[in-house]
Amino acid sequence: MSGPFPARLHVLLARDAATGVVIRRGPTRKVCVIGWNRSNDSFEVGQWLYGRIYERRCDLSPDGKHFLYFAMNGRWDSEVLGSWTAVSRAPYLKATGLWPKGDCWNGGGLFIDNREFWLNDGYGHKQFLDGSGLKQRRDYPWKDSYGGECPGVYYLRLQRDGWELTGRESNGKRSRITTFRKRINDRWTLLKRAHETIDHPVGRGCYFDEHALKSKDQDTPLPLHEWEWADVDAGRLVWAAEGKLFSGRLDAKGLTSSKMLHDFNDLAYERLTAPY
């Protein structure tokens, strides 16, 4: 494509509340977290980071109040050692719990419930700040494991949130594809192909998703190449493409009532202070 790439979006939906956070990346070293009120589809910019948030190692508490994230700014001689896992009040980044890491292996984690979380530790985390009021789960609470990097958090989160893992396959020596599906309604299913690859397309990272819609009346899924994130939200379909967030509904004829909820491309980095 010509011109700058659109902003890259990844979204976390609160399981027990009509809220979410949008993680917007672009340009490469600038990322912000945006609060999403799903009751009225309004959005509020929380804070920016000059660095990287590893969106597939992040999570949102079921009530939508706490954000758990893994970030890197490369300042390896700083107090946070250049990379860290943190808990904050969504949609802000100011840490209430902080674990400096010092590298980009492992990191991040998942919420067990509103009061307890699991830290994707591996090794190297050292607690620096403990003011979140949350409890850290010390044992590994799941039966399956997908390694310490992004899939090791992301695939667990998908399955916890209603996605069914349907297969894993190698796609060459340096690539793997893991497939998921999620029911939308009696007729339609949302399909997700999660890629792990060094040979990724331009504008995508080594971890990226592809999506398709499958009707019970058709053998061949409908590919949706531009969708980088998609999920089901209270019966409607929501998805991100080209730096924008959309919603729509599916009936016998296909996708209807499609509309853009917000265009995040024009947002620019600014220093913002959390209100706590």
Side-chain angles (χ1 to χ4, degrees), residues 1 3-9 22-27 30 32 34 45 48 228 240-246 260-269:
M1 63 176 292
F5 283 102
R8 291 166 61 179
L9 304 180
V22 179
I23 303 171
R24 179 211 181 272
R25 184 183 179 194
K30 295 177 181 177
C32 72
I34 301 151
V45 176
W48 286 82
E228 63 176 326
E242 298 185 335
K244 304 170 186 177
L245 191 62
F246 299 85
M260 185 181 72
L261 302 180
H262 200 82
D263 184 345
F264 297 93
N265 284 297
D266 291 337
L267 292 179
Y269 178 88

Side-chain angles (χ1 to χ4, degrees), residues 161 164 172 230:
D161 292 347
E164 178 189 357

Side-chain angles (χ1 to χ4, degrees), residues 24-209:
R24 179 211 181 272
R25 184 183 179 194
T28 302
R29 294 278 291 171
K30 295 177 181 177
V31 59
C32 72
V33 177
I34 301 151
W36 177 12
N37 183 332
R38 288 150 50 205
S39 297
N40 57 17
D41 290 326
S42 61
F43 299 87
E44 174 193 6
V45 176
Q47 285 183 292
W48 286 82
L49 173 72
Y50 189 82
R52 171 75 194 277
I53 292 177
Y54 290 79
E55 64 280 349
R56 284 169 172 78
R57 303 185 212 180
C58 298
D59 199 16
L60 189 62
S61 61
D63 60 10
K65 294 181 179 180
H66 298 283
F67 179 47
L68 193 162
Y69 66 94
F70 180 61
M72 183 271 290
N73 64 9
R75 299 173 186 170
W76 307 112
D77 57 351
S78 67
E79 287 185 320
V80 295
L81 305 179
S83 65
W84 64 95
T85 296
V87 172
S88 65
R89 299 179 189 175
Y92 304 98
L93 293 172
K94 180 182 177 181
T96 57
L98 180 62
W99 295 261
K101 185 68 169 66
D103 58 42
C104 292
W105 301 106
N106 298 88
L110 293 168
F111 283 99
I112 307 299
D113 54 35
N114 288 325
R115 306 306 304 170
E116 187 177 22
F117 68 94
W118 164 74
L119 179 66
N120 182 32
D121 189 12
Y123 67 93
H125 280 103
K126 297 180 180 179
Q127 191 167 58
F128 181 80
L129 177 65
D130 182 17
S132 68
L134 304 177
K135 179 182 177 182
Q136 181 183 342
R137 179 81 170 260
R138 298 292 177 177
D139 63 321
Y140 185 79
W142 294 279
K143 63 182 180 66
D144 297 314
S145 176
Y146 306 96
E149 305 310 305
C150 292
V153 177
Y154 184 45
Y155 296 170
L156 293 172
R157 169 157 58 86
L158 287 175
Q159 292 176 85
R160 182 201 65 191
D161 292 347
W163 290 86
E164 178 189 357
L165 192 155
T166 56
R168 302 195 80 196
E169 62 184 65
S170 295
N171 185 27
K173 293 183 179 180
R174 299 187 294 179
S175 301
R176 183 190 295 272
I177 298 174
T178 304
T179 55
F180 300 86
R181 66 185 177 192
K182 194 172 194 179
R183 179 183 179 275
I184 302 171
N185 55 35
D186 291 340
R187 182 180 296 272
W188 291 94
T189 300
L190 178 60
L191 307 180
K192 184 187 295 284
R193 288 166 55 87
H195 291 258
E196 310 161 38
T197 179
I198 297 176
D199 302 318
H200 54 83
V202 175
R204 303 267 192 162
C206 59
Y207 301 108
F208 68 93
D209 295 347

Side-chain angles (χ1 to χ4, degrees), residues 212-252:
L213 291 171
K214 176 69 170 62
S215 169
K216 69 176 185 179
D217 300 324
Q218 298 175 344
D219 294 331
T220 304
L222 173 65
L224 301 156
H225 298 295
E226 295 180 347
W227 293 17
E228 63 176 326
W229 172 88
D231 212 327
V232 182
D233 173 31
R236 68 175 177 171
L237 188 63
V238 285
W239 68 94
E242 298 185 335
K244 304 170 186 177
L245 191 62
F246 299 85
S247 72
R249 295 189 179 273
L250 286 154
D251 60 19

Side-chain angles (χ1 to χ4, degrees), residues 12-25:
L12 302 171
L13 303 180
R15 288 173 277 163
D16 298 335
T19 60
V21 295
V22 179
I23 303 171
R24 179 211 181 272
R25 184 183 179 194

